[in-house]
Amino acid sequence: MYLLEVLLATFSSNPQGQGLISTGWAGYVITSDLENPKVIGINASWTVPRIGVSSSDAFSSAWIGIGGYSDKTLIQTGTEHDSVNGQEYYSAWYEMLPDEAVRINTISVSPGDVITASITLINLDTDQWAIRIYDVTKDQGFYRTFTYNSSRSSAEWVVERPHVNDETTRLANFGTITFTDLYAKIGDNVGSISSFSYSQVIMTNDMSVQLAAVSPLSADGSSFNVTYLKSS
């Protein structure tokens, strides 16, 4: 939900199992190419983690997005889980780069809440998108349509340590976040992550020390875990 990360690897023509390195993202990404139509939808579910409060400020977010892998367009929605001044903070948000993230005040996020989210292109001619994020536990939700010119070249399911004030933050100890019900729509095809060309994204610091572990995909390609390892 912040400055785009440069992923220090490129997709091969069949990148399944290939790892991409990022200083901010951990999760999975799929791409479209000249042989495949563009991404027009993505969805996921996850449970908001309870983070460990730290003496230094630390941040984390879980989100889904379309675009942003190899370009500067990215439409996203997700949850934030931060430790600031010795206190925990949780929220839901959406963002369309280059605009800043917008906090969603109709959802009061707490640890343990089950979240579902989707981003869908509803009118190609007018670049109209629908963003939906819903707190199942509290029966609180957000749905709104936006006009946004996206490359539609990729889809992401990510845990991130964000940039704050143009600086990379420490990663909050979120324990383990499990993403489930992971599906994308590319052209007329709807499928789980493993139905398309995908890669795992590994989060490291500038010294190449891994900060979060990403599990293999489930057998059906529709779920995976991200586990905290180090803050920075």
Side-chain angles (χ1 to χ4, degrees), residues 17-180:
Q18 178 180 343
L20 306 176
I21 304 301
S22 169
T23 58
W25 293 5
Y28 280 86
V29 57
I30 65 174
T31 62
S32 60
D33 55 36
L34 294 177
E35 297 179 357
N36 294 305
K38 298 292 188 178
V39 179
I40 59 175
I42 185 173
N43 64 269
S45 299
W46 64 91
T47 299
V48 177
R50 178 175 294 280
I51 60 166
V53 175
S54 57
S55 56
S56 299
D57 293 351
F59 302 81
S60 67
S61 58
W63 54 265
I64 59 172
I66 292 177
Y69 163 69
S70 59
D71 65 274
K72 295 182 178 180
T73 70
L74 181 56
I75 180 170
Q76 320 164 257
T77 189
T79 57
E80 186 78 9
H81 346 101
D82 303 330
S83 171
V84 179
N85 296 325
Q87 295 186 353
E88 303 167 42
Y89 292 92
Y90 302 89
S91 62
W93 53 269
Y94 68 88
E95 184 174 20
M96 291 168 287
L97 293 180
D99 293 342
E100 295 184 354
V102 177
R103 181 170 179 170
I104 298 170
N105 294 322
T106 57
I107 302 176
S108 177
V109 175
S110 300
D113 288 359
V114 175
I115 302 295
T116 63
S118 65
I119 302 171
T120 307
L121 180 65
I122 58 177
N123 191 317
L124 176 61
D125 293 334
T126 60
D127 292 325
Q128 190 173 33
W129 293 85
I131 294 178
R132 178 184 181 273
I133 185 166
Y134 178 62
D135 188 319
V136 177
T137 304
K138 291 193 172 74
D139 191 24
Q140 297 174 347
F142 171 88
Y143 176 90
R144 188 173 297 176
T145 60
F146 300 88
T147 299
Y148 184 69
N149 185 13
S150 168
S151 70
R152 300 190 287 121
S153 61
S154 61
E156 297 88 17
W157 297 262
V158 167
V159 172
E160 182 180 10
R161 63 167 179 160
H163 283 76
V164 175
N165 298 325
D166 294 330
E167 295 185 359
T168 303
T169 60
R170 293 169 58 87
L171 181 63
N173 185 353
F174 56 83
T176 295
I177 295 176
T178 300
F179 288 91
T180 62

Side-chain angles (χ1 to χ4, degrees), residues 180-210:
T180 62
D181 301 321
L182 309 180
Y183 293 93
K185 186 173 184 180
I186 298 182
D188 295 327
N189 298 318
V190 177
S192 65
I193 293 177
S194 59
S195 302
F196 305 102
S197 295
Y198 72 88
S199 279
Q200 186 184 79
V201 184
I202 308 299
M203 187 194 301
T204 70
N205 63 16
D206 293 335
M207 302 299 292
S208 298
V209 175
Q210 190 170 351

